[in-house]
Amino acid sequence: MPVRVVESSTPAQVSGTDPGNRSQLPPSSLLGAGQAFSGTQNVSNQQKEEAWRVNVQIQGIDLEHGYLCGTMEALNVPMADTPVITFWEGEIVDGKNYTFYTGKWEATREDDMRHWSKFPSFSPLQGQVESDGGRQLDLNNYPYIFMRWKEQYFVNVGTDCGLTIAGFYYVCFSCSDGSISGFYYDPNSSPFQKLELKTVNEGRSGFSFSSYELQ
C-alpha cells in the first residue's frame, strides 16, 4: 500500500515437469491460517529514503484452489494518524489454478518477468516460465512458493487516507524458514518497492486485528 502518486542463495533443483503428476502444493506449517509475519516495506522514491513497518496475518488458505487471504498493517505511515490496515486476497502460483503470468491488474508478461526475476529462487524456473508460463513445472517439492497478493479494501480508514491499493504484490515464500519477500507493482507508484517479512512467534500473532470488523 504505497503512497498514492499523482504522476507518475541457490535453490534446490526443480522437480520433474510431468503435468500428469501435478497435485496441490505441499502445506507448510509456516503458511497457515493465523500465521503472522512482521517486517518492512521500502517505499523510497527519488526524493527520499523511506520504509514502513509492516505486519501481515494469514486469515485463510485453500491450497486446492490456490487461494489465500489475510490482512496487512502498515505502521509509521507519515500521512496517517493510525496504523493503516487492508484486507488482501492472494493467488498461489501452482501451475493448475494460477501461472506466473498475471493477465490482469495492468500487468503485462514483461512486467511479470521483470518482477519474478528479482527473486533469486525464480532463476531455475525462468526458462520454462518464458516458454509456457510454467504450466509444465512441477512445483510440489520446490522449496519456495510464489504468490500474488492483491489488497481489496481498507479495513480501518477511508480511501482518502493518502495511500493506494490499486496495485498488487509479487511474493516469494520460503518453505524452510517462513520468510517472505515481495515487490509491489503499480504503474503509478515508485517501482520495485520491496516487502521483507519474517515469521512471528511461529503462528501466534504478536498483534491483533480482532478490534476491526472484516467485511
Side-chain angles (χ1 to χ4, degrees):
M1 60 177 92
V3 177
R4 182 180 287 110
V5 177
V6 177
E7 296 178 2
S8 314
S9 89
T10 305
Q13 180 66 36
V14 182
S15 46
T17 59
D18 178 9
N21 231 7
R22 187 170 59 232
S23 59
Q24 69 181 41
L25 291 165
S28 170
S29 61
L30 298 175
L31 189 66
Q35 178 64 52
F37 304 85
S38 183
T40 60
Q41 178 171 338
N42 188 312
V43 293
S44 300
N45 54 41
Q46 293 180 346
Q47 283 72 43
K48 63 177 179 177
E49 293 290 322
E50 186 176 351
W52 299 339
R53 290 188 294 126
V54 174
N55 294 323
V56 166
Q57 188 167 30
I58 306 297
Q59 301 291 336
I61 184 167
D62 179 357
L63 290 174
E64 179 63 30
H65 297 95
Y67 173 86
L68 76 165
C69 63
T71 42
M72 179 178 292
E73 177 187 41
L75 295 84
N76 65 289
V77 179
M79 69 292 296
D81 298 327
T82 180
V84 177
I85 300 173
T86 56
F87 175 80
W88 55 267
E89 293 184 305
E91 301 175 346
I92 299 173
V93 177
D94 55 10
K96 179 181 66 172
N97 296 286
Y98 301 102
T99 73
F100 286 95
Y101 290 142
T102 305
K104 52 188 171 183
W105 303 328
E106 298 186 63
T108 66
R109 292 192 174 193
E110 290 74 22
D111 293 322
D112 290 333
M113 294 308 297
R114 275 196 297 269
H115 286 76
W116 291 127
S117 62
K118 291 282 187 181
F119 303 110
S121 52
F122 177 73
S123 180
L125 312 176
Q126 186 164 347
Q128 190 65 46
V129 172
E130 290 176 337
S131 173
D132 66 358
R135 287 192 176 277
Q136 303 303 311
L137 289 170
D138 180 359
L139 299 172
N140 293 335
N141 298 311
Y142 201 63
Y144 298 89
I145 296 176
F146 298 94
M147 300 173 275
R148 285 177 288 265
W149 293 357
K150 179 72 175 76
E151 290 167 299
Q152 301 296 323
Y153 56 82
F154 293 102
V155 174
N156 67 324
V157 296
T159 55
D160 59 351
C161 65
L163 302 183
T164 176
I165 55 174
F168 68 96
Y169 293 86
Y170 293 87
V171 176
C172 178
F173 170 83
S174 170
C175 297
S176 61
D177 62 10
S179 63
I180 288 175
S181 57
F183 292 95
Y184 189 76
Y185 172 74
D186 177 0
N188 297 316
S189 297
S190 299
F192 304 115
Q193 297 181 27
K194 189 171 186 180
L195 182 71
E196 295 181 286
L197 303 171
K198 301 291 186 182
T199 57
V200 176
N201 294 334
E202 297 183 350
R204 293 177 293 279
S205 173
F207 53 95
S208 174
F209 298 101
S210 60
S211 59
Y212 301 101
E213 181 179 354
L214 299 182
Q215 299 176 3

